[in-house]
Amino acid sequence: MRSDTSHPRFPLGEYIRRHAGLPHDLAQSGMRGELASVRTLLRRVEAGNPEELSRRIARRHGVGPERVFLTHGATEANTLVLFHLARRHARRRGGHPRVRVRRPEYPPLLDTARYAGFRVLRTPGEPEVALLSNPSNPEGTLLSSDALAEFTRGSRDLLVDETFREFSSAPPLKDGGSAELWLTGTFTKAFGADDLRVGYAIAPASQVEAFRNASWLLDGIPPASIASALALDRGRSQILREVRARFQQNVRTLAEFEPEASVLAAPVWFDRTTSTLGGDRLARAGLRRGVLVCPGRFFGEPRGVRICLTRSSFPADFAAYRSVKAELGLLR
Ligand SMILES: Cc1ncc(COP(=O)(O)O)c(C=O)c1O
């Protein structure tokens, strides 16, 4: 058994799990049990094969099916890609490869990159890999193509985690500019299918063979998960209609008070209005009143907190959050 110190830890996940069951949960980005269309579609699941699922994903991304690697969710996809790239660049130039990330960023991306052997580049320079969630978790926004090109400048590989993309109609990223593009995605968020654990990585054409060798750790997705993911994929337009309507409704609720939130492309928002107090203190005050939010320090930005807009209970949860802020004198 591995010791605690060598085992990768995801402190954000631990924080959320430690505080499960509070009446107002604005910390969960998962969609378990939220979508009626998903419940209906999963009642009529026919057997299917992974090749068909890969073909459907490949078609939407405009790539050959051999470039799609099915995984147990986006977490595994990000992990396999980062371990592959760390080895590849360490072999090429020796020493520790470097990665550029944004702040704030979804913390497991950073934790996994470090665990795979990357050094995080804090000063201007040319990292081997640029890594981001887009739309961003925790900010919920999409990067413009100019900003993405600037972020990627000088790197050889670009890994974009598109876990939240399907909450809006934004098309998948098609090209990484000067860098080789790796994409990851999942059925666990916009498809409300947390329990299926099906996601994927899309490798650049030039590295498909090398990545196939590196991804020997992939042990195949259970047939029941493949069949269910196929059922959801076939019912894709029905599900996305429902999930986007819910998301837009929650965005409208949020934007009544925070107008800049009307541009959100993903069901997360990073509240910086708390900066005089700090994210930890606001999160603690929330906990005392049964409101769970994620302290910004987990994302590398301790002045704010992240809240999620995934649930149908969002209007009530957000009202409870606003009363905590009102008591603390934080409302604008
Ligand atoms: C940006 C991002 N990537 C990956 C994941 C994990 O996805 P999965 O549950 O498919 O492993 C999450 C979960 O919230 C996420 O926000």
Side-chain angles (χ1 to χ4, degrees), residues 29-30 72-76 78 105-106 108-109 133-137 161-164 184-189 194 197-199 268 306:
S29 63
H72 302 87
T75 305
E76 187 181 45
N78 290 327
E105 183 54 278
Y106 178 61
L109 290 181
S133 55
N134 197 38
S136 151
N137 179 2
D161 175 342
E162 292 196 335
T163 283
F164 283 120
T184 53
T186 185
F187 284 86
T188 62
K189 297 291 178 297
D194 303 46
R197 303 304 307 151
V198 180
V268 285
R306 184 197 72 174

Side-chain angles (χ1 to χ4, degrees), residues 97-118:
R98 293 153 303 174
V99 65
R100 179 182 291 139
V101 290
R102 304 172 71 227
R103 291 287 165 98
E105 183 54 278
Y106 178 61
L109 290 181
L110 211 68
D111 296 337
T112 308
R114 285 207 185 97
Y115 193 71
F118 281 100

Side-chain angles (χ1 to χ4, degrees), residues 14 44 50 60 71 106 138 166 189 206 209 227 230 273 275 324:
E14 286 172 16
R44 292 180 259 111
R60 273 203 300 281
T71 60
Y106 178 61
E166 282 140 317
K189 297 291 178 297
S206 63
E209 275 319 304
L230 269 169
T273 62
S275 60
V324 174

Side-chain angles (χ1 to χ4, degrees), residues 72-323:
H72 302 87
T75 305
E76 187 181 45
N78 290 327
T79 304
L80 288 172
V81 173
L82 286 168
F83 272 79
H84 162 70
L85 292 176
R87 284 168 60 118
R88 175 180 169 85
H89 290 298
R91 276 206 205 107
R92 206 176 49 79
R93 78 178 257 285
H96 287 277
R98 293 153 303 174
V99 65
R100 179 182 291 139
V101 290
R102 304 172 71 227
R103 291 287 165 98
E105 183 54 278
Y106 178 61
L109 290 181
L110 211 68
D111 296 337
T112 308
R114 285 207 185 97
Y115 193 71
F118 281 100
R119 291 239 165 88
V120 176
L121 198 68
R122 293 185 191 285
T123 50
E126 302 212 331
E128 284 71 31
V129 175
L131 165 65
L132 80 162
S133 55
N134 197 38
S136 151
N137 179 2
E139 294 182 291
T141 45
L142 270 167
L143 219 55
S144 71
S145 43
D146 285 351
L148 189 60
E150 177 57 27
F151 177 71
T152 310
R153 198 160 43 84
S155 61
R156 288 177 172 252
D157 291 278
L158 167 65
L159 169 53
V160 184
D161 175 342
E162 292 196 335
T163 283
F164 283 120
R165 180 179 51 77
E166 282 140 317
F167 281 88
S168 82
S169 55
L173 193 64
K174 287 278 175 0
D175 119 58
S178 53
E180 300 259 46
L181 177 62
W182 297 80
L183 284 187
T184 53
T186 185
F187 284 86
T188 62
K189 297 291 178 297
F191 289 83
D194 303 46
D195 304 333
L196 294 191
R197 303 304 307 151
V198 180
Y200 54 90
I202 301 183
S206 63
Q207 291 186 55
V208 167
E209 275 319 304
F211 188 58
R212 198 184 310 289
N213 294 334
S215 58
W216 60 270
L217 285 168
L218 275 174
D219 60 352
I221 313 300
S225 293
I226 294 288
S228 298
L230 269 169
L232 299 185
D233 205 69
R234 291 187 194 111
R236 178 184 167 79
S237 25
Q238 187 189 346
I239 296 173
L240 294 185
R241 235 187 344 266
E242 183 182 359
V243 82
R244 288 175 187 169
R246 155 84 55 78
F247 169 49
Q248 283 310 325
Q249 199 177 331
N250 289 345
V251 169
R252 281 193 294 277
T253 302
L254 175 59
E256 264 177 50
F257 302 98
E258 307 291 347
E260 79 282 0
S262 56
V263 302
L264 290 187
V268 285
W269 179 61
F270 199 73
D271 187 357
R272 290 187 167 84
T273 62
T274 66
S275 60
T276 48
L277 184 76
D280 278 359
R281 286 176 64 193
L282 174 60
R284 269 199 305 276
L287 284 176
R288 284 196 293 275
R289 291 160 186 77
V291 178
L292 182 61
V293 296
C294 298
R297 99 184 117 85
F298 288 115
F299 304 86
E301 174 51 281
R303 283 170 302 179
V305 300
R306 184 197 72 174
I307 68 173
C308 294
L309 292 76
T310 36
R311 306 285 176 93
S312 49
S313 58
F314 179 75
D317 300 334
F318 185 61
Y321 172 66
R322 276 182 57 82
S323 17

Side-chain angles (χ1 to χ4, degrees), residues 2-78:
R2 281 182 278 189
S3 77
D4 276 354
T5 49
S6 70
H7 198 282
R9 291 157 55 88
F10 297 114
L12 171 64
E14 286 172 16
Y15 179 85
I16 295 173
R17 271 194 295 278
R18 258 203 326 274
H19 298 103
L22 291 181
H24 297 290
D25 186 349
L26 287 157
Q28 304 279 346
S29 63
M31 296 278 298
R32 177 179 284 124
E34 284 289 321
L35 300 174
S37 54
V38 170
R39 282 194 295 278
T40 310
L41 287 160
L42 290 182
R43 267 188 228 127
R44 292 180 259 111
V45 171
E46 291 162 21
N49 60 56
E51 291 74 25
E52 184 188 347
L53 185 57
S54 296
R55 269 198 308 276
R56 295 179 72 96
I57 295 168
R59 223 175 10 250
R60 273 203 300 281
H61 284 266
V63 303
E66 74 288 352
R67 289 176 57 185
V68 176
F69 292 79
L70 298 178
T71 60
H72 302 87
T75 305
E76 187 181 45
N78 290 327

